[in-house]
Amino acid sequence: MEKSITLLGAPTGNCVRAAIALEEARIPYVVRHVDLKNGEHRAAEYLALNPAGRVPTLVEHREGEPPFVLSQSNAIMLYAARKAPGRLLPAAEGRARALTLERFFLFITDVIAPNHAAFYVRPRGEQRAADLLEERSVDVLKLAEKFVADTPFLAGENYSIADIAAFTITMSVRKQLAWSELPALARWYSIIEQRPAVTRGLKAFVLS
Ligand SMILES: N[C@@H](CCC(=O)N[C@@H](CS)C(=O)NCC(=O)O)C(=O)O
């Protein structure tokens, strides 16, 4: 059955994580740019797909079926992981899978979410709140130094969605980190950065 996938988005961390996961899972997709500056994400056509008016959105088209829509970056990552059994998330229920999900959600809920909250409140004049949220986010991010001290990846021996989640946020706060105190994290960062799928995902929403 004919199938095609469109990833709608913009050059933001949430969109790039989704793109990297699709790239790593070798899922073919086409990018459709959503112009945030001009409010395209608040237009009726986009809201029909993603009622929250946020990016990214994945739309899977199959001949003869209504489109299947995912409107959360983390759901898109899990969808990609499911299509690439064992490569981004251990397939079997068990400790390795539980640990991977633990590290994935630690970054999503305790690092990325407060960082985004800071980004939201700062331009609204809440400097102190923004500083506190950023500090809280970076404090948790720094825990990753221990995770990668004895293993190459965040959840152990294998690359996973936890590394993708951690990579984009680490990239966006890299200038705030005291890298000399984070040698294992620095090594991990340079390994992830060099992955071809990461390079492609980082470029997915760059307008040429
Ligand atoms: N929980 C959503 C959050 C999506 C989100 O906040 N996206 C931001 C860009 S990173 C956005 O669309 N911002 C535009 C706006 O809020 O107007 C996800 O992970 O997909």
Side-chain angles (χ1 to χ4, degrees):
M1 188 184 291
E2 271 301 300
K3 186 179 94 172
S4 72
I5 289 176
T6 305
L7 185 64
L8 295 93
T12 74
N14 287 327
C15 297
V16 168
R17 278 199 309 286
I20 293 175
L22 293 175
E23 294 284 353
E24 293 284 7
R26 296 178 207 127
I27 297 173
Y29 65 102
V30 291
V31 164
R32 218 202 88 198
H33 290 268
V34 178
D35 187 346
L36 298 181
K37 284 202 182 95
N38 285 320
E40 197 185 342
H41 56 309
R42 298 207 191 90
E45 191 199 344
Y46 188 78
L47 291 174
L49 294 171
N50 186 330
R54 306 259 165 88
V55 288
T57 301
L58 176 143
V59 184
E60 186 184 278
H61 303 272
R62 275 178 200 262
E63 223 174 79
E65 286 180 18
F68 173 64
V69 180
L70 286 175
S71 60
Q72 286 292 319
S73 59
N74 305 312
I76 297 169
M77 292 176 73
L78 290 167
Y79 164 93
R82 169 115 186 132
K83 301 265 177 182
R87 284 200 284 114
L88 295 176
L89 177 66
E93 289 297 341
R95 289 182 179 178
R97 184 181 165 91
L99 190 68
T100 304
L101 288 172
E102 183 207 71
R103 303 273 154 95
F104 174 65
F105 285 113
L106 175 73
F107 270 85
I108 299 302
T109 62
D110 293 23
V111 183
I112 294 172
N115 178 278
H116 284 188
F119 184 77
Y120 179 76
V121 300
R122 191 176 295 286
R124 286 162 178 82
E126 305 288 348
Q127 305 302 328
R128 175 80 182 129
D131 288 347
L132 284 170
L133 285 161
E134 270 179 14
E135 191 183 306
R136 189 170 164 86
S137 168
V138 166
D139 279 351
V140 178
L141 194 159
K142 288 192 287 193
L143 295 177
E145 173 69 12
K146 290 198 190 78
F147 302 157
V148 290
D150 301 317
T151 59
F153 300 110
L154 268 191
E157 296 302 323
N158 298 309
Y159 178 75
S160 73
I161 51 173
D163 296 290
I164 302 174
F167 177 73
T168 53
I169 187 69
T170 305
M171 186 162 103
S172 74
V173 300
R174 64 192 182 283
K175 294 196 181 112
Q176 296 170 41
L177 298 174
W179 285 103
S180 58
E181 292 164 20
L182 302 166
L185 196 68
R187 175 193 44 74
W188 164 86
Y189 185 86
S190 88
I191 288 170
I192 306 299
E193 192 178 30
Q194 288 171 46
R195 291 180 71 87
V198 170
T199 307
R200 290 195 300 274
L202 285 170
K203 287 186 190 149
F205 291 99
V206 175
L207 290 165
S208 49

